[in-house]
Amino acid sequence: MLKERAKYNVPPLIDGPLAAVIAAEVGKMHKPTVAYLGPERSFTWEAAVALFPHGVYKPAKTITDVFKAVEAGDALYGVVPFINSLEGPVGETVDALATHDLKVVAMGELRIVLCLAKKGTPRVVYTHPHAAAQARKVLQALGAEVVYTTSTSEAVREFERCDNCAVLASPKALEGVEKICGVEDAESYTRFAVISRKDGVGERALLIFAVPNVPGALHKALGPLARRGINMTLIYSRPTKLSPWDYYFLAEVQSGEGLEEALGEMSHYTTMLKMAGRYNIVTIQPTQL
């Protein structure tokens, strides 16, 4: 039974009370290739290791590169940051979901703890833009120029090569380095999306849609959901970049009875409508190395 199960989708798609046990056994046999925003010891790497403990990990320099790896078949799954509780959705991930033919099949939620390490009197501090946005107070107090990197683990690599500098990164990325942790402005959580070429299952669905630029267009587009009592847990607008002031919307809704019918009705009021995934949200425990 498990050998047959291992031929198909892996741990994040399994649901039910025995999910963790089955996932572990399937994962040992399957060992899927998982692309992630790297290098190692980034927050996304930590999420990938937790979600796919027996995976073969493939680092990528950008979120878009993760999507390309999965789309090309170089990886079976990809793990990318999706949304932070303090700073909202990650723009590059939202754009990639809108423009690539991939689906979100799982979400992992990780508590984000940020650490600050310093050398001498810092003139610059290296970090990722989202980490900087979550720790504005400590960066302002430091008074150094902020230099952005592609990930917090990449920031640590820059820190290792510099003098009179600082870094804001994850505890894992700064293991063995003297640091102060818990410097984020408030309790912070990030959800990481698992993307795949195949469809997922779960209690939530992710929609991407656009509406005509006329009064009441958004209200009409969302009406089919409201009339069926389908709860919406997130809505976010994002520029399409096709023309100035042109936007599309990202919405997370309950996935269940009535949704397919609602989507059919929504199509009459939208200029573009995409089901970008179905998934459950699981809590990620920090990886013990």
Side-chain angles (χ1 to χ4, degrees):
M1 179 68 176
L2 285 175
K3 289 182 180 179
E4 286 299 311
R5 180 65 181 82
K7 296 178 182 179
Y8 302 99
N9 293 330
V10 295
L13 305 188
I14 300 171
D15 203 0
L18 295 178
V21 176
I22 298 173
E25 293 304 315
V26 171
K28 289 176 184 177
M29 291 183 281
H30 191 72
K31 299 186 185 303
T33 301
V34 182
Y36 69 94
L37 179 63
E40 282 190 9
R41 297 179 181 271
S42 65
F43 284 113
T44 311
W45 168 84
E46 190 171 347
V49 170
L51 291 165
F52 296 91
H54 302 285
V56 177
Y57 310 114
K58 184 182 180 69
K61 290 184 177 180
T62 68
I63 290 170
T64 301
D65 287 342
V66 174
F67 275 78
K68 289 179 178 179
V70 177
E71 207 164 40
D74 296 331
L76 188 59
Y77 293 94
V79 179
V80 292
F82 174 68
I83 188 171
N84 177 261
S85 59
L86 297 180
E87 287 301 309
V90 178
E92 187 179 356
T93 298
V94 176
D95 291 343
L97 285 170
T99 56
H100 290 75
D101 191 23
L102 298 176
K103 302 292 181 66
V104 177
V105 296
M107 285 276 185
E109 184 172 289
L110 176 67
R111 169 71 189 274
I112 301 298
V113 175
L114 293 169
C115 302
L116 181 71
K118 298 185 288 185
K119 290 182 183 177
T121 302
R123 294 193 298 267
V124 298
V125 55
Y126 296 101
T127 192
H128 185 270
H130 262 249
Q134 295 169 50
R136 290 189 175 96
K137 293 177 183 177
V138 72
L139 292 179
Q140 288 172 358
L142 193 63
E145 177 189 0
V146 178
V147 176
Y148 293 136
T149 56
T150 56
S151 69
T152 53
S153 50
E154 182 63 32
V156 174
R157 293 187 178 184
E158 293 294 332
F159 175 73
E160 290 171 347
R161 297 191 285 259
C162 70
D163 296 313
N164 295 317
C165 62
V167 63
L168 183 68
S170 72
K172 289 288 187 291
L174 284 168
E175 277 189 331
V177 177
E178 186 176 347
K179 56 190 176 290
I180 300 173
C181 294
V183 299
E184 58 275 11
D185 293 340
E187 195 169 283
S188 176
Y189 295 85
T190 294
R191 288 180 183 170
F192 295 87
V194 177
I195 55 172
S196 172
R197 295 187 300 276
K198 299 182 179 181
D199 292 328
V201 295
E203 297 176 351
R204 305 198 187 200
L206 195 66
L207 312 178
I208 298 176
F209 63 95
V211 297
N213 188 16
V214 296
L218 180 60
H219 175 76
K220 290 179 181 177
L222 296 177
L225 299 172
R227 286 191 288 275
R228 290 166 178 81
I230 297 173
N231 186 41
M232 182 167 58
T233 54
L234 165 72
I235 187 165
Y236 173 71
S237 63
R238 177 81 177 159
T240 64
K241 301 181 182 178
L242 298 175
S243 61
W245 314 117
D246 186 32
Y247 294 85
Y248 59 84
F249 295 90
L250 178 83
E252 182 186 74
V253 301
Q254 288 177 332
S255 176
E257 187 176 352
L259 181 58
E260 293 298 330
E261 187 179 73
L263 294 179
E265 188 178 342
M266 282 182 70
S267 66
H268 299 301
Y269 304 108
T270 57
T271 55
M272 182 272 280
L273 176 61
K274 177 183 179 180
M275 168 70 78
R278 294 178 190 264
Y279 51 87
N280 291 320
I281 299 174
V282 298
T283 300
I284 297 174
Q285 300 299 330
T287 305
Q288 301 297 322
L289 298 181

